[in-house]
Amino acid sequence: MNRSFSWWLQLAVTLLTAAFLIVPAIQSILAGLTVSYFRGLSSGLTLKWITRVWELYADSIFLSLWLAVSCLVVTLVIGVPAAYALARNPGRLSRVLEEFISLPLAVPGLALALALLQLYGTVTGFRTSWTFILVGHVLYTLPFMVRSVLAVLMAMDFKTLEESAATLGATAPTRFWTIIVPNAMPGILAGALTVVTLSIGEFNLTWMLHTPYLKTLPVGLADSYASMRLEVASAYTLIFFVMIVPLLMAMQWATARAQRIAQ
Amino acid sequence: MTLTVKNTAKTFPDGTRALLPTDLTVGEGEILSLLGPSGCGKTTLLRIIAGLEQPDAGSRVFFGETDVTGLAVERRNVGMVFQSYALFPNMSVRANVGYGLKVRHVPKAERDRRVDEVLQLCRLADYADRPVQALSGGQQQRVALARAVAPRPKILLLDEPLSALDAALRDSLRDELAAMLRQFRITAVFVTHDQAEALAIADRIAVMSEGELQQVGAPEDLYHAPASAFVARFIGNAIPLTGERDNGALILKGGRLELAENSANKEVYVRAESIRLDPEGSLAGVVETAVFSGGHYRLAIRDVLSDGALLQAHHPGKTAPKSGDTVRLSISPSDLLYLSDQPSGPK
Amino acid sequence: MTSRTFVAACLVPLAAFTLAFLALPLVRLLQGSVETEAGWAIYLQILQKPRYLETLVNTVLVSLAVSVTALLISTVAGVFLARNRFFGRGLLLSILTLPLAFPGVVVGFMIILLGGRQGLFNQLLPGHVVFAYSLTGLFLGYLYFSIPRVLLTVMAAVEKLDPALEEAARTLGASPLRVVVDVILPGLAPSLVAAGAIAFATAMGAFGTAFTLATNIDVLPMVIYTEFTLSANIAMASALSVLLGLVTWVLLLAARSFTGTTVAAGG
Ligand SMILES: Nc1ncnc2c1ncn2[C@@H]1O[C@H](COP(=O)(O)OP(=O)(O)O)[C@@H](O)[C@H]1O
Ligand SMILES: [Mg+2]
């Protein structure tokens, strides 16, 4: 086919951009698996660095997973009923509330962390516990859960479904469990995957809220970038990729599916 | 169970007076149709009966002797078929139909038995385990009905249950629905804007207009003795005849039309099926169009009415005059409708 | 339980959490910013002290440069990917959206791998090519996480454009370039403005990348961090946070009222 010059130019821009994004990621994967980054691949492949990371940072990986799961549970418990209530009362007040809980998307994590630290920094038992970090993660991920569920609810005629369940004798809580939750499932799933993905990768808030005994994966990464040799930092990054990339893909798939339904 | 609505009205928060104070009684096992043009308040009245809408202060709804006005919808034990059917997309046909029994904690064995029974009655047994999205419109409509009747409601409410279907299907399902409703023997209120549906299904029809009941009665009564011009127009499409009065007759552009006695000071209406082609007829007109529609021809005739409109007539013969032919017409004085100038109001 | 009380009860957890961990802390932050003798005048000081003003200007300039560059690149790539089907397109798309889930620290590390002392460029090119720890490094890092966000917004907008408009322009004899200028870009304009605002606001608040690069360029989040941890100047750190938060929030609000979308932001 006869392509124009502009077509090739666009292709070049696209490929260069992709290279810019992927080359360092490949570098880090390779560096994490080679004996010596400086001597290159010819020095041979090894799992030494990965083992090293595991010895040094396994705790941070488990803490991140634990935080992600806890964060998911909390956002489900708070977010799904809230999305339903917001959908039931689509007034000005709901818009304001939705806007307000979405603040953590707009306001930098650093500012939020400072705010939390100033108010609760002196509550020792809370300040030093993992729940303090959890609060930060929930703050940041909750709007995604609420919006995701809200979008699916608004797209279906859930009011009539609920009314028909009511005429059949279902009370409000029964209607919520048997009609709202199952039908909002695509939105809940998309929201859940987003929450887990974002929680595992969250750094800005966590860096300010964490204590020396409570390091999450990204905090550990920052630590390794500053103080470990490049191969260890790379191996750690590789582990992070292995965790986050499938999650990201699942999240994108679920979000696209929920959006299809929401149309 | 009889249904009584007393002094029931609804004003929406935006000020819309969707329903003016209304009294209505539906007898035990009776099928009543609420008939009226779109926006006249039918759905509003139905939703008030269901408990989905809170009526204005002073309104009263009784199921039998019980005042249910303040009772929450889920405790009224009504069955409702929604205009959009509102089938639960997350459930199979069987789960939809069994939902009302399940949330009332009917034991599983009993529930299955009753669901099977209803599925059988509604000819849905073959589709029991399908997801509801996989059904045709007509089947979905039957699922909605089956779901509404499965918990054995005291009152069955149907909001334009046929309007979501395409025209061809609608006609064939109308009689089927009528037969099924009779089978259930449940007091039922059936909302529609289609007079043919109301005539085919209802024991009695309540005609509504702009939030008010115009007339309540058997289909035949409404057809033959409409209480107001609105009812006459809405049921059977009667049109007004206007002209000079001359000694018990009406002078139209197309000739002189004899009226019945006591017709002075009353408006005169006629329906297409009351007009006959008659060589001896006193009226004359020119055929504008003649359309064959199966059982009869629909003729549109000009130069009969004084206001210049076309007169519609049904001609049952095997052949029809052609466009441009001059024809003579007669209308028996007893087939004309004589209505007071003032609409008689709620009755 | 009536329907009304149940719906109200559904909001209780959210209300409690938001009040305790968002509303009150933000009030405390504002309060914390005016707790010194300076009081509200601390906000004036930001504009008067050269160190803060310079930081502010730097941050805005870098963020602006990043937004414009990201818009240019992502619009070209986005329109190209949305309008062409070819082998490997899916892979390319995955690569271009991959950094969505990378926290700022990881992005910083990516830039170090490219332009750090042991970086790719320093190894491949003769001479000492190290740019990771400079303004260039910061710029590239911000670009790295901005491109995927802008790209997704652009592609979503391209997909919503009516192809019939383009075809109509073609049949009227417009060259491909004219079609882009006359039909595609005007159609994309609202999304481009919104995506630009999102990129700008994200860059303004980005912390992890600057932190990892340990750059010698002062950007607002880094200054807030050092004011808080090293100088223990809590009031100034709070005031700068309030200012930064206000700017990014207003920007994103404006962007959203433009298109009604936001792309999930990573750290
Ligand atoms: N929730 C509402 N708020 C305000 N007005 C309404 C509402 N629901 C219905 N209406 C108005 O009330 C009138 C009657 O509506 P409805 O009962 O739905 O009519 P029908 O079912 O006969 O078509 C209409 O004018 C409609 O616009
Ligand atoms: Mg209606």
Side-chain angles (χ1 to χ4, degrees), chain B residues 12 14 16 18 37-44:
Chain B
F12 281 106
D14 65 358
T16 311
S38 171
C40 72
K42 307 176 299 284
T43 299
T44 304

Side-chain angles (χ1 to χ4, degrees), chain B residues 42-43 83 159-160 191:
Chain B
K42 307 176 299 284
T43 299
Q83 194 164 2
D159 192 357
E160 314 221 7
V191 163

Side-chain angles (χ1 to χ4, degrees), chain C residues 64-75 139 143 147:
Chain C
L64 212 56
V66 167
S67 322
V68 171
T69 316
L71 269 181
L72 278 176
I73 294 177
S74 304
T75 307
F139 171 79
L143 200 56
I147 286 173

Side-chain angles (χ1 to χ4, degrees), chain B:
Chain B
M1 175 98 31
T2 58
L3 164 69
T4 313
V5 171
K6 282 189 185 156
N7 191 34
T8 293
K10 174 71 189 179
T11 311
F12 281 106
D14 65 358
T16 311
R17 303 206 62 191
L19 188 67
L20 300 172
T22 296
D23 295 284
L24 180 67
T25 303
V26 187
E28 168 92 55
E30 184 181 39
I31 300 173
L32 178 105
S33 175
L34 285 179
L35 174 65
S38 171
C40 72
K42 307 176 299 284
T43 299
T44 304
L45 178 53
L46 200 72
R47 289 170 59 84
I48 290 173
I49 297 170
L52 291 168
E53 210 77 71
Q54 189 67 40
D56 294 348
S59 309
R60 285 273 164 274
V61 179
F62 295 88
F63 287 1
E65 299 298 305
T66 325
D67 184 345
V68 297
T69 317
L71 203 61
V73 45
E74 62 263 26
R75 301 179 53 203
R76 286 198 188 187
N77 197 7
V78 293
M80 183 146 171
V81 176
F82 288 76
Q83 194 164 2
S84 61
Y85 305 146
L87 299 181
F88 306 133
N90 56 314
M91 300 178 196
S92 68
V93 169
R94 171 179 291 281
N96 262 281
V97 175
Y99 185 83
L101 299 167
K102 189 168 173 188
V103 297
R104 288 191 175 90
H105 307 294
V106 174
K108 175 126 179 45
E110 161 82 357
R111 193 163 83 216
D112 285 346
R113 198 182 55 69
R114 269 166 67 180
V115 169
D116 283 334
E117 189 183 80
V118 176
L119 287 175
Q120 205 73 48
L121 267 177
C122 296
R123 296 189 293 106
L124 285 166
D126 294 343
Y127 311 102
D129 296 310
R130 298 235 185 129
V132 287
Q133 294 95 327
L135 301 181
S136 71
Q139 290 161 344
Q140 291 190 358
Q141 190 255 328
R142 292 208 298 274
V143 176
L145 182 66
R147 184 179 68 178
V149 298
R152 303 208 177 127
K154 295 173 184 160
I155 313 273
L156 184 60
L157 306 168
L158 304 98
D159 192 357
E160 314 221 7
L162 298 170
S163 69
L165 306 171
D166 52 53
L169 203 56
R170 195 152 55 213
D171 286 346
S172 71
L173 285 187
R174 190 171 57 205
D175 299 339
E176 179 185 290
L177 182 64
M180 275 195 284
L181 287 181
R182 293 247 137 55
Q183 232 174 352
F184 297 133
R185 293 173 200 287
I186 307 174
T187 307
V189 180
F190 176 100
V191 163
T192 180
H193 65 265
D194 179 348
Q195 48 148 329
E197 247 167 69
L199 294 172
I201 294 176
D203 296 321
R204 279 196 308 152
I205 297 176
V207 181
M208 284 183 78
S209 162
E210 296 182 355
E212 264 185 308
L213 282 188
Q214 297 291 321
Q215 190 177 2
V216 185
E220 295 83 352
D221 295 343
L222 294 185
Y223 187 86
H224 294 299
S228 66
F230 177 83
V231 176
R233 282 170 186 269
F234 202 74
I235 296 188
N237 305 319
I239 57 159
L241 299 175
T242 50
E244 291 287 310
R245 295 298 173 98
D246 177 39
N247 196 15
L250 192 63
I251 309 300
L252 300 172
K253 187 176 176 195
R256 183 184 166 93
L257 181 63
E258 288 299 329
L259 304 179
E261 280 167 35
N262 303 327
S263 63
N265 300 327
K266 297 205 168 160
E267 300 242 13
V268 181
Y269 282 76
V270 69
R271 292 199 176 94
E273 51 267 42
S274 309
I275 301 167
R276 269 192 305 281
L277 287 188
D278 178 358
E280 316 280 274
S282 61
L283 298 173
V286 179
V287 175
E288 178 87 17
T289 57
V291 179
F292 182 60
S293 59
H296 58 260
Y297 287 88
R298 281 189 287 119
L299 306 179
I301 301 164
R302 66 167 187 262
D303 297 338
V304 182
L305 297 180
S306 310
D307 57 7
L310 295 173
L311 180 70
Q312 302 288 338
H314 289 175
H315 171 56
K318 289 209 166 120
T319 58
K322 281 187 281 299
S323 173
D325 289 356
T326 300
V327 289
R328 296 205 74 82
L329 310 164
S330 69
I331 308 171
S332 155
S334 61
D335 284 348
L336 291 166
L337 302 169
Y338 307 97
L339 301 169
S340 306
D341 278 1
Q342 301 293 323
S344 56
K347 202 170 170 182

Side-chain angles (χ1 to χ4, degrees), chain A residues 33 49 52 54 72 97 136 161-162 169 190 198 208 224-225 263:
Chain A
L33 295 172
W49 309 120
R52 192 71 210 289
W54 193 254
L72 174 59
L97 187 59
L161 288 183
E162 241 206 292
L198 292 181
M208 301 296 288
S224 75
Y225 296 157
Q263 263 161 18

Side-chain angles (χ1 to χ4, degrees), chain A:
Chain A
M1 209 186 298
N2 197 1
R3 305 282 197 189
S4 68
F5 172 72
S6 113
W7 191 88
W8 290 108
L9 195 66
Q10 290 177 54
L11 179 68
V13 170
T14 311
L15 287 177
L16 267 177
T17 310
F20 168 53
L21 299 182
I22 198 68
V23 164
I26 292 174
Q27 267 180 285
S28 103
I29 293 171
L30 290 179
L33 295 172
T34 44
V35 173
S36 162
Y37 174 75
F38 200 67
R39 282 191 284 134
L41 271 180
S42 55
S43 62
L45 292 175
T46 176
L47 286 177
K48 179 169 77 177
W49 309 120
I50 302 266
T51 328
R52 192 71 210 289
V53 170
W54 193 254
E55 284 159 10
L56 287 167
Y57 294 110
D59 286 353
S60 78
I61 295 170
F62 287 122
L63 178 64
S64 269
L65 288 175
W66 169 245
L67 273 172
V69 171
S70 313
C71 184
L72 174 59
V73 171
V74 176
T75 50
L76 282 175
V77 169
I78 297 179
V80 178
Y84 165 68
L86 291 176
R88 276 287 298 256
N89 302 300
R92 197 182 180 77
L93 209 66
S94 293
R95 298 284 315 154
V96 171
L97 187 59
E98 194 196 332
E99 195 54 54
F100 188 67
I101 63 159
S102 302
L103 266 184
L105 302 188
V107 175
L110 203 59
L112 289 174
L114 275 191
L116 282 172
L117 279 171
Q118 287 191 50
L119 189 61
Y120 296 107
T122 49
V123 188
T124 335
F126 180 41
R127 167 71 185 94
T128 53
S129 101
W130 63 275
T131 51
F132 196 52
I133 305 176
L134 177 65
V135 162
H137 283 208
V138 172
L139 213 49
Y140 176 53
T141 54
L142 188 57
F144 291 97
M145 179 63 88
V146 172
R147 286 172 169 207
S148 178
V149 178
L150 194 58
V152 170
L153 282 181
M154 294 309 265
M156 65 182 195
D157 190 7
F158 77 96
K159 262 192 178 142
T160 311
L161 288 183
E162 241 206 292
E163 285 179 349
S164 85
T167 61
L168 291 165
T171 57
T174 310
R175 300 198 293 265
F176 179 75
W177 278 114
T178 57
I179 307 296
I180 301 297
V181 170
N183 286 302
M185 212 32 110
I188 297 177
L189 181 68
L193 285 164
T194 309
V195 165
V196 171
T197 309
L198 292 181
S199 169
I200 289 185
E202 211 298 316
F203 175 76
N204 292 356
L205 273 160
T206 318
W207 179 257
M208 301 296 288
L209 302 181
H210 86 281
T211 67
Y213 304 103
L214 290 169
K215 286 185 182 165
T216 65
L217 209 170
V219 170
L221 280 172
D223 186 88
S224 75
Y225 296 157
S227 58
M228 295 287 152
R229 53 184 299 169
L230 195 74
E231 288 86 348
V232 174
S234 294
Y236 199 4
T237 309
L238 170 59
I239 293 180
F240 175 72
F241 284 167
V242 168
M243 287 169 67
I244 209 78
V245 170
L247 271 173
L248 177 72
M249 300 205 149
M251 170 188 129
Q252 287 180 331
W253 166 81
T255 309
R257 173 167 165 259
Q259 272 168 3
R260 255 200 322 279
I261 290 168
Q263 263 161 18

